Amino acid sequence: MVPVPQTRPQASPSLRRTPVQQRSAERLARILDACAELLDETGYEQLSTRAVASRAGVPIGSVYRFFGNKRAMVAALAHRNLDEYARRVSDRLAAAPLLDAYGAIDSVLDEFIAMKRTVPGFALVDFGVPATASGESEGEGGGDGGDDGGDNGEGGGEGSGGTSAGSLAEDPNRQVAERICALLATHLNRPSDDDLRRKVLVGVETADALVRLAFRTDPAGDPALIDETRHLLHAYLAHWLA
């Protein structure tokens, strides 16, 4: 069995400016960490770029150097979550090279559950931005007390001009499925073909809905519903992957 590779992280499309220097990368990490913490404390609608800047200990202009509004900032957090999830699943599979299809499915599901329980902000924003709130346009990221409408005189004209939040409408579950598909294909020594991608996408969509139900039922994740999710994924995927 060859080592399971980590799927390659990519720069978030929501970034106005990709950090090059270590100090800039560390500042971006602090901003996203603060964003995740505040999501747990206040929810998405009450989140503001000013509050994130204050929690991160950076000027508000530093936030706008990277993001045009709070929606773009949360999209970058979701993108970072996906990179971290793929890295963790890769580590699980690499640590147990003899895992069969059932074990590989368990690794994928168990890491998702673990991150739901332990990673700040992940319970609300895992791999995608919450649906646009009432009165919020995707391009504006409103509900931020006027803080999200511009760049406060900083960050303009930097990098490529960034990607508007409205153009970040990529299907997050499809992105998750692509990353999982690459990991499973390598671990199980089979091609990452259209059949595998379709099966994994159906599994991801199903698991996402059921895990959300489990965490709505119990903030820690209802064990019975998680078990039902596991049984369903085993029944649907394991015999076909084996």
Side-chain angles (χ1 to χ4, degrees):
M1 175 72 66
V2 297
V4 175
Q6 295 182 22
T7 54
R8 180 176 298 177
Q10 298 176 347
S12 170
S14 66
L15 281 176
R16 277 179 158 178
R17 175 189 185 197
T18 301
V20 176
Q21 297 181 346
Q22 181 177 350
R23 189 173 80 168
S24 181
E26 290 171 350
R27 178 170 292 189
L28 173 59
R30 291 204 308 274
I31 291 170
L32 293 180
D33 289 344
C35 177
E37 292 170 5
L38 287 168
L39 280 168
D40 280 340
E41 296 172 16
T42 70
Y44 176 72
E45 291 191 19
Q46 298 304 313
L47 183 73
S48 73
T49 52
R50 192 167 297 279
V52 169
S54 177
R55 175 66 63 90
V58 302
I60 184 67
S62 293
V63 175
Y64 287 122
R65 285 181 183 273
F66 293 113
F67 308 110
N69 50 46
K70 77 175 184 183
R71 193 166 184 81
M73 179 172 57
V74 173
L77 176 64
H79 192 276
R80 186 177 76 166
N81 286 342
L82 178 53
D83 283 343
E84 177 64 9
Y85 174 68
R87 184 193 67 78
R88 292 186 183 201
V89 171
S90 176
D91 288 348
R92 280 180 181 253
L93 295 176
L98 299 181
L99 275 181
D100 61 7
Y102 290 91
I105 292 168
D106 286 344
S107 294
V108 169
L109 177 62
D110 289 343
E111 190 54 60
F112 185 48
I113 300 299
M115 291 183 70
K116 280 282 190 185
R117 289 171 172 161
T118 62
V119 173
F122 197 87
L124 181 60
V125 175
D126 44 31
F127 308 123
V129 184
T132 304
S134 176
E136 176 192 358
S137 70
E138 289 190 353
E140 293 294 332
D144 205 4
D147 286 343
D148 270 349
D151 62 11
N152 201 28
E154 300 207 33
E158 299 202 35
S160 63
T163 303
S164 71
S167 66
L168 300 176
E170 303 165 342
D171 182 348
N173 279 346
R174 192 171 292 276
Q175 295 180 58
V176 175
E178 287 292 332
R179 303 288 281 273
I180 291 174
C181 187
L183 292 168
L184 289 177
T186 300
H187 180 77
L188 299 171
N189 195 27
R190 59 155 299 158
S192 180
D193 54 22
D194 288 343
D195 287 340
L196 179 60
R197 283 191 288 271
R198 183 176 59 253
K199 292 281 188 180
V200 171
L201 177 59
V202 171
V204 167
E205 290 283 358
T206 303
D208 181 47
L210 291 176
V211 169
R212 288 180 188 277
L213 174 61
F215 279 85
R216 287 200 305 270
T217 303
D218 179 344
D222 182 83
L225 287 171
I226 291 172
D227 282 346
E228 293 293 337
T229 305
R230 191 181 311 278
H231 294 325
L232 188 151
L233 291 176
H234 283 174
Y236 178 68
L237 285 173
H239 71 283
W240 187 82
L241 289 172

